[in-house]
Amino acid sequence: MKLFIILITVVLAKGLSADFAPSPAPAGNDSLVNPTLVTVDEGAVCLAGNPAAYYYSKGFGRGSKNWIVYLRGGGWCSGFADCLAYIDRKGVNKDPTPITFDYIFSNQKEKNPDFFNWNKVIVRYCDASSFTSNSTDKIGNTTLYFRGARIFRAITEELLCLGMGNARNALLAGSSAGGVATAIYCDRFRGLLPSASRVKCLSDGGYFFLAKNHKSGNQFLSFFEGLTKIQGSKNALPESCTARLSAELCFFPQNFWADIETPIFFLMLAFDEIEV
Ligand SMILES: *[C@@H]1O[C@H](CO)[C@@H](O)[C@H](O)[C@H]1NC(C)=O
Ligand SMILES: *[C@@H]1O[C@H](CO)[C@@H](O)[C@H](O)[C@H]1NC(C)=O
Ligand SMILES: *[C@@H]1O[C@H](CO)[C@@H](O)[C@H](O)[C@H]1NC(C)=O
């Protein structure tokens, strides 16, 4: 069964460096979770070459075989100078700091009745490619590491070692650029968990679509074209799409959602403003 609901009427696109990362969680008695640096593949690195990371909170009780994996957003970069600027703007070269697990990541039953006892993972976003990139670029002494696809592969491999392979229920979720990644990887995530009885995906604020805006025309198309070229994204995009269309077009969920076999829920605000 495919669960598919879209609520879209208008997107007011102001620019492309969308960042819908959840606002800092208020300090309460939710747990502060330390980052885990990826070690299974030392080539799975952020744009500036530092190790990728994720945050893991172990499930307990009846939730111990349930998993939620959340892909954070943070826009993208397209072109060498833009990616260099992205590193500074987002601080993706810095060491990851502990974060508070709140809302659907809270471990308190009253606040989070559905997921409080699940295994919960929040993946750091530091590749600026929705986890699709797989190349390297160098100008002068500066190297940019485009390793998003390797990061996704390495982190899921580590999670399988932590017990995700025995998951009964699993949810892949993500927002914005992480919502695009969720759509791109939904079926492959399903494929990692053949013995799970239920696997679903939630793409939140990730249904960027091919349309002109009133100010600057179709920015997304040329932006995704630059992105997929410099970052070597093509091979990570759904093959059902790249067999028919160019890589940049396969960055738009509208061009491949119909091929997704795993139940996926798209959530998009009726009015979505994207900041530069
Ligand atoms: C935890 O939160 C509850 C209610 O939100 C509050 O009553 C309690 O004092 C808090 N405990 C600690 C240790 O902060
Ligand atoms: C680049 O690296 C070389 C050799 O390590 C060094 O001699 C040169 O000064 C560096 N150039 C810049 C612009 O940092
Ligand atoms: C990245 O590309 C290389 C070939 O250049 C390939 O061997 C490798 O499997 C790719 N990695 C991922 C995660 O797609």
Side-chain angles (χ1 to χ4, degrees), residues 12 17 77-78 87 92 94 101 105-106 111 117 124 138 177 181 198 213 227 230 248 255 261:
L12 300 173
S17 298
C77 69
S78 172
I87 291 174
V92 294
K94 305 222 165 70
F101 272 30
F105 301 99
S106 169
K111 278 171 124 179
N117 56 5
R124 185 187 195 194
K138 189 169 179 194
R198 277 195 302 186
N213 77 31
L227 186 166
I230 193 176
E248 65 272 18
N255 287 328
E261 291 175 0

Side-chain angles (χ1 to χ4, degrees), residues 10-88:
V10 181
V11 168
L12 300 173
K14 268 189 172 172
L16 293 163
S17 298
D19 186 353
F20 303 113
S23 50
N29 34 25
D30 292 305
S31 49
L32 205 56
V33 177
N34 286 317
T36 302
L37 299 180
V38 171
T39 54
V40 71
D41 173 7
E42 62 185 23
V45 292
C46 301
L47 265 183
N50 49 311
Y54 58 95
Y55 298 85
Y56 171 56
S57 164
K58 195 170 162 55
F60 54 93
R62 297 177 66 180
S64 56
K65 287 198 169 170
N66 298 335
W67 287 73
I68 176 169
V69 177
Y70 176 78
L71 306 174
R72 283 179 137 181
W76 307 276
C77 69
S78 172
F80 199 91
D82 188 38
C83 290
L84 213 49
Y86 182 99
I87 291 174
D88 281 341

Side-chain angles (χ1 to χ4, degrees), residues 80-149:
F80 199 91
D82 188 38
C83 290
L84 213 49
Y86 182 99
I87 291 174
D88 281 341
R89 192 166 70 241
K90 302 287 191 184
V92 294
N93 54 344
K94 305 222 165 70
D95 288 341
T97 51
I99 60 172
T100 300
F101 272 30
D102 205 349
Y103 307 105
I104 63 167
F105 301 99
S106 169
N107 56 18
Q108 293 169 65
K109 192 176 181 177
E110 320 79 67
K111 278 171 124 179
N112 184 20
D114 296 311
F115 302 107
F116 73 101
N117 56 5
W118 286 39
N119 291 278
K120 304 177 207 72
V121 179
I122 296 180
V123 178
R124 185 187 195 194
Y125 183 61
C126 64
D127 60 276
S129 75
S130 291
F131 299 92
T132 61
S133 57
N134 186 15
S135 70
T136 305
D137 203 356
K138 189 169 179 194
I139 294 186
N141 288 356
T142 306
T143 302
L144 290 176
Y145 299 86
F146 298 118
R147 301 291 173 76

Side-chain angles (χ1 to χ4, degrees), residues 240-258:
S240 62
C241 184
T242 51
R244 293 180 283 120
L245 298 171
S246 58
E248 65 272 18
L249 285 172
C250 295
F251 223 82
F252 292 95
Q254 74 194 70
N255 287 328
F256 61 84
W257 73 263

Side-chain angles (χ1 to χ4, degrees), residues 134 149-150 153:
N134 186 15
R150 267 174 92 163
R153 189 164 70 183

